[in-house]
Amino acid sequence: MDINQEELSVPSEQPLVEYTLKNDHGMEVSCLNLGGIITKILAPDKNGQLENVVLNFKEKETYLENPPFFGALIGRVAGRIQSAQFELDGESYSLQANDGPNHLHGADTGFHKVVWDVETVETTDVVKLVLTHFSPHGEGGYPGNLKVKVTYSLDNDNAFSIRYEATSDKKTALTLTNHSYFNLSGNLKADIQSHELNIDSDQFVELDEALIPTGNLLDVNDTPYDFRSKQAIRVGVESSHPQNKVAGNGYDHYFVLNKKADLDIKVSEPVSGRTLTVNTEQPGFVLYTSNMLPEDLKLGDGPSKKYLGLCLETQASPASLHHAEGFPSVVLEKDEKYSKTTTFRFGVE
């Protein structure tokens, strides 16, 4: 087990450092102190070949803007907040509108823009990065002085875990996630339409034309959203289902997890044999299949295009701020401890 670090020659007000966690089997996870951005994950295929399985930029300075949020920590609230405002206990809070009239992924003061403080931890069984940040009351329009700690851990079972912890001195809204785009083909040899998913979920959230939840939870039965049995991403891309069309011919939807199966999510890539299994303490996640990824980005393994990566954004639902029933809440009470872990385990079959 090992941790390497390299200071980047990128113009920035604060020094930017890339850290690389390595286990004894060659798996690596690299990330920046900027936004906690995961820049590379090397994982083996069925022949033991180590290749990168996340989308990344060719040039590190591109992460200073990072419009697709590649690999970044997202907060204070992951997802879209309708009309860039919400109420808590009768008090209204206004946020920056950066997605039409709506607020997306924390906007300009989001955690993806923060240079985090980082500590490294090395043992014989696991290597860790501990990232910390203080977000003052009123930052980005959110209430409460917020202390945040995120721990990245890599072990010798090829499991990469992200633990999110936070406390606020005032009732606030909070749900954190990581916005990595996975592609298990390795080094972007193919898009993700042939990736197959299993999801332990009976319901997903209906979206309007602006990708804002309508307040309705839909049953997955007889829809392209039924991943309770293995199904390829291509099914949703090619579907005429109204919700796939709304999302730009693919998926950009919140799934409520049942919490009944051993695994919450499993992704398989038939050619490489790679698998990614996900277990999370979050109540659900957003599946996004890069339907709106621009085609002019210079990536580490070639040009960007639609359907090149899939995001598994484990989180609660910001729709709960505007719909009282049926949605996992993002409200954090004063002095309550926020603590959620998501584990991504890489394997082969």
Side-chain angles (χ1 to χ4, degrees):
M1 310 294 283
D2 192 20
I3 302 176
N4 294 334
Q5 61 187 77
E6 176 187 1
E7 186 167 333
L8 305 181
S9 56
V10 172
S12 173
E13 293 181 2
Q14 297 172 267
L16 299 187
V17 180
E18 184 173 43
Y19 298 84
T20 299
L21 307 175
K22 299 182 179 181
N23 71 11
D24 294 337
H25 306 298
M27 183 175 165
E28 298 184 9
V29 178
S30 298
C31 80
L32 304 177
N33 58 343
L34 171 65
I37 293 169
I38 295 171
T39 57
K40 185 180 290 187
I41 296 179
L42 298 182
D45 68 5
K46 62 187 177 183
N47 298 314
Q49 180 70 32
L50 289 162
E51 294 175 310
N52 181 37
V53 294
V54 293
L55 271 60
N56 58 12
F57 288 117
K58 183 177 182 180
E59 305 293 341
K60 291 295 194 302
E61 54 262 33
T62 314
Y63 286 110
L64 294 171
E65 293 303 322
N66 194 10
F69 302 95
F70 281 168
L73 291 174
I74 304 296
R76 291 189 185 190
V77 172
R80 292 176 175 85
I81 296 180
Q82 182 179 348
S83 302
Q85 66 82 32
F86 63 92
E87 291 187 3
L88 290 178
D89 295 339
E91 188 170 351
S92 182
Y93 297 94
S94 296
L95 311 173
Q96 179 188 358
N98 64 323
D99 185 57
N102 307 306
H103 176 79
L104 176 65
H105 291 335
D108 288 345
T109 58
F111 292 167
H112 63 292
K113 294 287 190 180
V114 168
V115 176
W116 294 67
D117 295 323
V118 181
E119 294 182 10
T120 61
V121 178
E122 299 182 45
T123 74
T124 56
D125 301 317
V126 66
V127 281
K128 300 180 180 182
L129 297 180
V130 181
L131 299 88
T132 54
H133 173 61
F134 174 73
S135 176
H137 171 72
E139 184 175 55
Y142 289 95
N145 292 299
L146 187 76
K147 297 178 181 179
V148 188
K149 180 168 75 171
V150 179
T151 304
Y152 288 167
S153 304
L154 177 65
D155 66 21
N156 272 325
D157 292 325
N158 287 359
F160 175 61
S161 295
I162 307 178
R163 182 168 183 80
Y164 307 90
E165 299 172 271
T167 56
S168 173
D169 65 358
K170 186 178 176 67
K171 189 174 184 177
T172 192
L174 183 77
T175 187
L176 307 177
T177 196
N178 179 271
H179 208 285
S180 289
Y181 291 65
F182 296 99
N183 184 319
L184 301 185
S185 70
N187 296 346
L188 301 186
K189 288 195 291 294
D191 66 26
I192 49 93
Q193 293 190 61
S194 295
H195 283 46
E196 298 171 331
L197 265 67
N198 282 120
I199 302 173
D200 179 31
S201 174
D202 299 329
Q203 294 180 307
F204 69 102
V205 173
E206 181 182 54
L207 301 177
D208 67 16
E209 294 291 335
L211 301 178
I212 295 296
T214 64
N216 296 324
L217 286 170
L218 303 181
D219 196 297
V220 302
N221 282 325
D222 302 317
T223 75
Y225 295 81
D226 190 352
F227 290 99
R228 292 171 299 185
S229 296
K230 187 184 292 187
Q231 177 177 272
I233 292 294
R234 179 175 286 106
V235 172
V237 173
E238 297 176 349
S239 171
S240 60
H241 190 284
Q243 283 294 293
N244 291 112
K245 293 296 184 183
V246 162
N249 299 312
Y251 300 94
D252 195 1
H253 293 75
Y254 188 89
F255 287 78
V256 179
L257 292 167
N258 293 330
K259 297 298 181 178
K260 296 177 181 177
D262 292 337
L263 298 173
D264 294 318
I265 309 163
K266 182 177 180 180
V267 187
S268 307
E269 204 285 310
V271 177
S272 70
R274 288 187 180 91
T275 62
L276 170 59
T277 56
V278 182
N279 283 96
T280 183
E281 293 176 340
Q282 293 282 14
F285 78 104
V286 173
L287 170 64
Y288 174 53
T289 48
S290 54
N291 323 317
M292 293 170 280
L293 188 66
E295 298 192 354
D296 57 351
L297 303 175
K298 296 179 180 179
L299 307 186
D301 293 297
S304 62
K305 61 180 180 180
K306 292 174 66 172
Y307 313 121
L308 203 55
L310 62 88
C311 300
L312 307 168
E313 302 163 54
T314 59
Q315 60 179 92
S317 174
S320 63
L321 292 170
H322 291 89
H323 302 283
E325 300 294 331
F327 293 90
S329 176
V330 300
V331 173
L332 181 70
E333 297 289 342
K334 176 184 175 181
D335 297 328
E336 177 187 3
K337 184 174 181 180
Y338 180 93
S339 180
K340 302 289 184 182
T341 299
T342 297
T343 299
F344 302 89
R345 189 180 303 274
F346 294 86
V348 293
E349 60 183 14

